[in-house]
Amino acid sequence: MKNEWPLWEIFIRGQHGMSHRHVGSLHAPDAEMAIKNARDVYTRRNEGVSIWVVEANHISASSPSDKGPLYEPSESKVYRHPTFFDIPEEVGAM
Amino acid sequence: MYAQMIKSEATQDDPEKLAAFQARIDAGEKIEPKDWMPEGYRKTLIRQIGQHAHSEIVGQLPEGNWITRAPTLERKAILLAKVQDEAGHGLYLYCAAETLGVSRDEITEMLLDGRMKYSSIFNYPTLNWADIGAVGWLVDGAAIMNQVPLQRTSFGPYSRAMIRICKEESFHQRQGYDAIRQMAEGTPEQKKMAQDALNRLWYPSLMMFGPSDKDSVHSAQSMAWKIKMNTNDELRQKFVDQTVPQAEYLGLTIPDPDLKWNEERGHYDYTDPDWSEFFDVIKGNGPCNVDRLAARNKAWDDGQWVRDGLLAHARKKAAGKHAAE
Ligand SMILES: [Fe+2]
Ligand SMILES: [Fe+2]
């Protein structure tokens, strides 16, 4: 069996009210150690108020070659943006 | 630099794919790990990021040498924080290299058995406390010169690692300048120590940027791929121009009698380091090469039981949890 500690992806909530953001990864034997290491590696200067760790092999990612079918359809749907609609000035803020 | 003399790997890929790849880079797009990339790009980056990571890790040794002997508790806490940052820099960079398909153990073993290099600068000793100030000021100063433009490198994970690193480097250089300034403004003996540190570390710091452009092979491909952003001589010149006034402020003399401002060029003229010494250090014959590798090997071997023990514990716990479900 391979004896390398698994890779963990680290997500940090920078401030109260913000969502967790991916900041990087690290190796650790288990989740508890991953959190401890993440605290040392990624929050040495008050960068965080909360840490999530996820084992990297549990993350499924979209494939770069699917970029077209996944994201192009929304390009033509300009009416999804509020600026698509002309609202008469007389109506006021909307 | 922390990555010196990185030879670009030849690439034998489909010319059409290569052209499309180059167009993405020229358009300023970031290349992400799962995107198609030329084999040469991948291999060159593993070597470059790996060497950079190894430099951060080995670079802890000359400074770690003085943590327990720092002159005050405050200097000790500062140096400890600085060295801890360098460990973090190594980790960010190893993770960036791993996204290219090399494992942490593989890349570590390549350092330990000498297949991969680290920056020549860390093969010089830190003989006294003044050297610690000089290392922060000059060595981190030189590293910053290279790392700032690398924030714009084409490979996403490398670029993001550099952005994190750059946020922390300014503290490193300032604490070094502050430490050597205190000595330069201290007793005549202290000032002499500061001058002596500058005398010994000046040329090794200039060597960090790698050989002169006229002898520097393979940089055109790396520059086209945006994994090298400036030539060695460009960065070295920038470093000299920035450092001379800093030395003047301290009342210290750069150990180069031919150093002088060139009005026409708008830069300082300076003497190149002794390149035969540089190549000799790279080959393994610097004052500390043997010690540095021995220290890294010892740390790796001594840590084996910890790595194994924690992993065995984690597996046992996971198996127990599985059985209970
Ligand atoms: Fe660093
Ligand atoms: Fe540093």
Side-chain angles (χ1 to χ4, degrees):
Chain A
M1 199 186 284
K2 209 178 83 174
N3 267 336
E4 195 169 288
W5 288 353
L7 189 70
W8 298 76
E9 297 301 331
I10 311 301
F11 300 81
I12 305 250
R13 186 199 300 285
Q15 288 168 35
H16 290 289
M18 307 289 281
S19 38
H20 285 74
R21 250 189 60 190
H22 183 245
V23 293
S25 39
L26 52 76
H27 289 271
D30 57 24
E32 192 188 332
M33 284 297 294
I35 290 176
K36 286 191 171 135
N37 290 349
R39 176 250 186 205
D40 285 343
V41 178
Y42 292 109
T43 67
R44 290 196 301 282
R45 290 180 176 80
N46 304 322
E47 291 100 332
V49 295
S50 163
I51 299 171
W52 286 352
V53 300
V54 183
E55 215 181 307
N57 62 19
H58 290 160
I59 292 183
S60 310
S62 63
S63 151
S65 58
D66 288 344
K67 242 200 268 177
L70 287 178
Y71 312 117
E72 269 163 28
S74 78
E75 277 170 26
S76 57
K77 298 175 178 58
V78 285
Y79 44 82
R80 285 181 174 171
H81 299 275
T83 45
F84 179 75
F85 304 94
D86 281 329
I87 302 293
E89 224 170 273
E90 295 85 331
V91 174
M94 184 182 285
Chain B
M1 215 28 55
Y2 279 14
Q4 295 159 323
M5 304 190 52
I6 300 296
K7 173 170 170 273
S8 317
E9 297 277 348
T11 234
Q12 271 124 15
D13 292 289
D14 174 12
E16 218 166 286
K17 276 186 163 173
L18 274 178
F21 179 79
Q22 189 61 50
R24 288 191 63 196
I25 289 183
D26 294 342
E29 276 183 44
K30 294 284 180 229
I31 308 301
E32 296 297 339
K34 288 191 161 183
D35 296 350
W36 184 88
M37 62 184 79
E39 239 353 81
Y41 179 84
R42 180 189 303 276
K43 283 193 193 150
T44 309
L45 267 178
I46 290 176
R47 187 112 56 84
Q48 178 173 332
I49 301 174
Q51 194 182 114
H52 195 155
H54 297 327
S55 300
E56 302 283 355
I57 297 299
V58 177
Q60 294 179 98
L61 296 170
E63 292 182 294
N65 183 30
W66 281 90
I67 290 174
T68 56
R69 295 178 287 172
T72 66
L73 186 57
E74 186 185 53
R75 289 285 176 201
K76 180 176 177 173
I78 291 169
L79 184 58
L80 197 55
K82 197 265 187 195
V83 173
Q84 191 188 9
D85 276 356
E86 304 299 4
H89 297 179
L91 295 184
Y92 309 154
L93 287 161
Y94 281 133
C95 286
E98 285 174 79
T99 66
L100 292 161
V102 64
S103 83
R104 177 71 64 88
D105 281 6
E106 270 167 5
I107 203 166
T108 304
E109 278 156 15
M110 284 195 275
L111 168 70
L112 298 179
D113 66 20
R115 271 176 294 160
M116 282 181 86
K117 304 276 182 220
Y118 52 88
S119 176
S120 56
I121 188 72
F122 301 119
N123 290 314
Y124 290 85
T126 43
L127 301 178
N128 57 50
W129 180 254
D131 288 14
I132 295 303
V135 164
W137 172 33
L138 301 172
V139 175
D140 288 80
I144 290 170
M145 283 289 149
N146 174 55
Q147 290 173 336
V148 166
L150 273 177
Q151 293 178 101
R152 293 179 286 109
T153 186
S154 61
F155 187 54
Y158 192 23
S159 158
R160 292 189 284 275
M162 289 323 313
I163 290 169
R164 289 195 73 85
I165 287 174
C166 284
K167 273 192 199 147
E168 299 176 348
E169 284 294 355
S170 164
F171 151 59
H172 297 179
Q173 194 185 14
R174 283 171 170 234
Q175 65 82 34
Y177 192 73
D178 188 64
I180 202 164
R181 183 180 157 199
Q182 199 171 0
M183 297 195 71
E185 292 172 354
T187 64
E189 288 89 344
Q190 285 174 320
K191 185 165 183 185
K192 224 172 113 188
M193 282 175 73
Q195 181 63 55
D196 169 64
L198 175 59
N199 291 350
R200 282 180 291 106
L201 286 164
W202 174 252
Y203 286 105
S205 298
L206 294 189
M207 291 177 200
M208 287 176 69
F209 298 93
S212 159
D213 292 349
K214 55 184 192 303
D215 306 316
S216 167
V217 274
H218 304 291
S219 64
Q221 177 64 83
S222 287
M223 289 185 82
W225 278 337
K226 290 193 191 158
I227 58 184
K228 186 180 173 83
M229 310 299 286
N230 305 85
T231 73
N232 298 348
D233 286 336
E234 267 168 37
L235 291 173
R236 190 166 16 245
Q237 180 72 63
K238 230 177 137 187
F239 174 74
V240 171
D241 291 348
Q242 178 190 283
T243 308
V244 172
Q246 295 168 352
E248 276 168 3
Y249 181 87
L250 299 175
L252 300 180
T253 310
I254 305 268
D256 177 358
D258 294 327
L259 184 102
K260 62 169 187 303
W261 180 252
N262 183 325
E263 192 67 58
E264 208 174 304
R265 292 200 309 125
H267 293 291
Y268 283 95
D269 291 337
Y270 63 93
T271 307
D272 256 350
D274 173 0
W275 292 118
S276 64
E277 176 181 323
F278 170 75
F279 288 113
D280 209 34
V281 172
I282 292 269
K283 255 188 256 146
N285 303 322
C288 300
N289 297 56
V290 174
D291 278 5
R292 300 298 187 230
L293 266 193
R296 287 314 307 152
N297 273 286
K298 182 176 186 311
W300 180 251
D301 295 342
D302 289 355
Q304 183 73 50
W305 70 273
V306 179
R307 294 191 298 277
D308 290 349
L310 286 175
L311 191 64
H313 174 70
R315 280 179 180 155
K316 203 168 144 190
K317 236 178 29 184
K321 208 169 131 200
H322 221 73
E325 272 166 6

